[in-house]
Every structure is written in C-alpha cells, then in structure tokens.
Amino acid sequence: MQKPYADLSGKHALVTGASSGIGRAIATQLHHQGAELVIAARRLERLEELASELSGARPLALDVRDPSAVQAALGQESFDIVVANAGLGRGLDSIQEGSIEDWSAMLDTNVKGLLSTIRATLPAMIAKKSGDLVLIGSVAGRQVYPGGNVYCASKHAVKAIYEALRIDAFGNRVRITTVDPGIVETEFSLVRFRGDEERARGVYEGLQALQPDDVADAVLWAVTRPAHVNIGEIVLWPTDQASTTLVRRQ
Ligand code: NDP
Ligand code: 8X3
C-alpha cells in the first residue's frame, strides 16, 4: 500500500542486509514508494525470492566483510539512497569468556562492512551533491548491557561514524541519518544464539517488540523530508522497553 510519503520514483536505492528482517522491510517500503532497488546480502536465494515480489529489484550476492567485492559491486553505481543495514550479533558472553571469532564477525560486519559500503557509495553522492546515507545503528550504540560488550562496541562505532560523516561529508548536500532501534523481532536473536530457537524466542516473549516495518517506516520518513531537512538521529523503542536492560514483560 502506498504511504503518505513523497514519491521516490526515479531514485536509485541500495539496501544491504535485505535478505531478512529490517533490511527486507526497508527494501519493501522503498519499493512501494517507487524507488529502484539493489538488494544486497549473502543469501542470494532469499534475495531472489524478495526480488520476485518487488518487480525490478536487483538482487546482489555480497558479503560486506569483503572490501574489494563491495567496491567492485557498488563503486561504479550512483545511488540516491543507501541504507547500510547489514549486521549481526554473536553471543552474549562476558569479555573474559568471549570468542575472538564472534568478535571478528561483529566488528568485520557491523563496523568494517558498514565502512566499506560507505566508502564505495558516498563519493558518487558527493559528486552529484545529493543523496541519503542511512545507517542502521542500535540503542546498543548508546548504552551497554550485560554480555553486549563487543556488539555494543560495534554499534557505538556506528554512532561515531555517523557523527564523523556529518563533519567529513558536510557541505555536499548529502544527508546523513542514523536509525537506532531497541528490540525488533527479526532473525537477529536466532543468529546471535546460533540457531537456538527457544533462546531466540525468549528475547521477544511477553513484550510487544518493534516490528521490521516500524523501523522501515522511520527510514522512509527520514528520506522523504524536503531537501533542506536532514533527520539526524532516530531512536525507536518498543513502548515496553525503557532501556537496554529494563523491559516490561507480561
Ligand atoms: P536479521 O538477522 O534478520 O538480518 C540481518 C541481515 O544482515 C540479513 O539480511 C543478513 O543477510 C545481513 N548480513 C549479515 N552479515 C552480512 C554480511 N557479512 N554481508 C552482507 N549481509 C550480511 O537481523 P535484523 O534485521 O534485526 O538486523 C539488521 C540490522 O539491524 C543489524 O545491523 C542489526 O544490528 C540492527 N539492529 C537490530 C535490532 C534487533 O533487535 N533486531 C535492534 C537494533 C539494531 P545474509 O545472512 O543473507 O548475508
Ligand atoms: C540489537 C538489539 O538491544 O538486543 O541491536 O542489542 S539489542
């Protein structure tokens, strides 16, 4: 259904992490608003299935942890809207018991993958003096919680990168936005707990979590404001969540 936002026909948009959850919802809403899409993630079959629903969307198998692949796939294109959403959490161990492999996965994806995506796409926006660069951060980039350590560090880095971009890209009419949600019901926890469905379900049990479309709605709102308005930071919480550690469950 068409939403009461500006028409995005003719806009070329990229969503990373579009094979699931928040990225999938953002891609779908951008498509409904008329944008031409490139949808990127590692799982091509998921992207192809989504592309069959979003006519004209171009699936792109891409691992954002590979900077050369990111540059080769995206560096020649000129996007109007880039949503750097691909990311993951791994585990909830303390630092003293943590897995270096899990830390690498989070830092390589959430920080370096995000940076590679920006490095490949921002120059074209600066060259044409327009564009929207939207980062999907997290409330974990604003607060730290037990076991969140390295995931929180990665999202604090996203917040720092957002602030740095506002300075570095300033004067080029590129709008920089960070959208930072609290608990959103997606496959995030299934990935964090390596397929443990019961543990993952527990994260969303008894509270009304945000849904991916709630986050997509915030992104759509930001990118459809008049050109002189840059929505900087959007923090969305479930009404049942007051902080990363205070959640009301029934
Ligand atoms: P999902 O697990 O549902 O989706 C994550 C997406 O990221 C998938 O499409 C996955 O695709 C993609 N992805 C992961 N690693 C890579 C990679 N190396 N290269 C390319 N794509 C990758 O989780 P969410 O939708 O919840 O997460 C989306 C973003 O939202 C993340 O940045 C997350 O940190 C953030 N977030 C999530 C919250 C939540 O509570 N769910 C709250 C706040 C922020 P594939 O596996 O096919 O590559
Ligand atoms: C993902 C949500 O608060 O569980 O960013 O880390 S949280």
Side-chain angles (χ1 to χ4, degrees):
M1 199 180 62
Q2 196 86 351
K3 290 204 158 54
Y5 294 129
D7 185 24
L8 294 175
S9 298
K11 299 282 186 192
H12 191 37
L14 166 72
V15 181
T16 67
S19 64
S20 174
I22 295 170
R24 185 184 164 103
I26 294 169
T28 303
Q29 290 202 25
L30 285 170
H31 170 82
H32 288 155
Q33 217 54 37
E36 293 161 18
L37 281 174
V38 174
I39 47 177
R42 291 166 302 177
R43 288 170 292 177
L44 184 59
E45 65 290 353
R46 289 252 196 140
L47 297 173
E48 284 171 342
E49 182 222 312
L50 179 61
S52 71
E53 292 171 23
L54 312 179
S55 60
R58 176 152 51 95
L60 174 66
L62 185 65
D63 186 336
V64 297
R65 292 171 302 176
D66 180 344
S68 312
V70 173
Q71 185 61 36
L74 305 176
Q76 302 308 313
E77 301 218 25
S78 178
F79 293 103
D80 301 294
I81 301 169
V82 170
V83 184
N85 162 77
L88 82 171
R90 279 283 194 216
L92 270 180
D93 301 320
S94 62
I95 291 181
Q96 59 274 25
E97 292 174 341
S99 147
I100 288 175
E101 189 192 328
D102 286 349
W103 299 347
S104 296
M106 291 187 276
L107 296 170
D108 289 352
T109 309
N110 304 356
V111 183
K112 290 161 75 179
L114 177 118
L115 280 169
S116 297
T117 303
I118 295 167
R119 182 65 185 85
T121 57
L122 183 58
M125 289 185 176
I126 288 176
K128 67 180 174 189
K129 299 268 181 283
S130 74
D132 279 288
L133 176 54
V134 181
L135 313 183
I136 303 300
S138 170
V139 296
R142 294 165 183 269
Q143 299 174 7
V144 178
Y145 56 87
N149 45 61
V150 176
Y151 178 72
C152 294
S154 76
K155 291 299 184 176
H156 275 69
V158 173
K159 174 115 183 322
I161 291 163
Y162 156 76
E163 288 174 8
L165 281 166
R166 296 195 61 82
I167 297 165
D168 289 3
F170 179 65
N172 292 291
R173 305 283 293 165
V174 178
R175 302 191 297 191
I176 314 288
T177 304
T178 184
V179 175
D180 298 354
I183 298 173
V184 189
E185 192 168 358
T186 67
E187 293 174 17
F188 179 87
S189 296
L190 199 59
V191 172
R192 171 171 257 176
F193 301 129
R194 294 191 179 276
D196 183 336
E197 291 184 7
E198 202 181 326
R199 198 170 173 201
R201 231 184 348 261
V203 174
Y204 310 110
E205 237 158 39
L207 92 150
Q208 194 170 354
L210 294 171
Q211 296 302 307
D213 271 332
D214 299 322
V215 184
D217 191 45
V219 172
L220 258 284
W221 181 70
V223 302
T224 53
R225 292 313 86 208
H228 69 286
V229 179
N230 182 175
I231 303 298
E233 303 172 36
I234 301 180
V235 183
L236 297 91
W237 297 93
T239 306
D240 286 337
Q241 186 181 17
S243 74
T244 53
T245 51
L246 187 55
V247 178
R248 175 177 168 273
R249 296 182 196 271
Q250 286 179 323

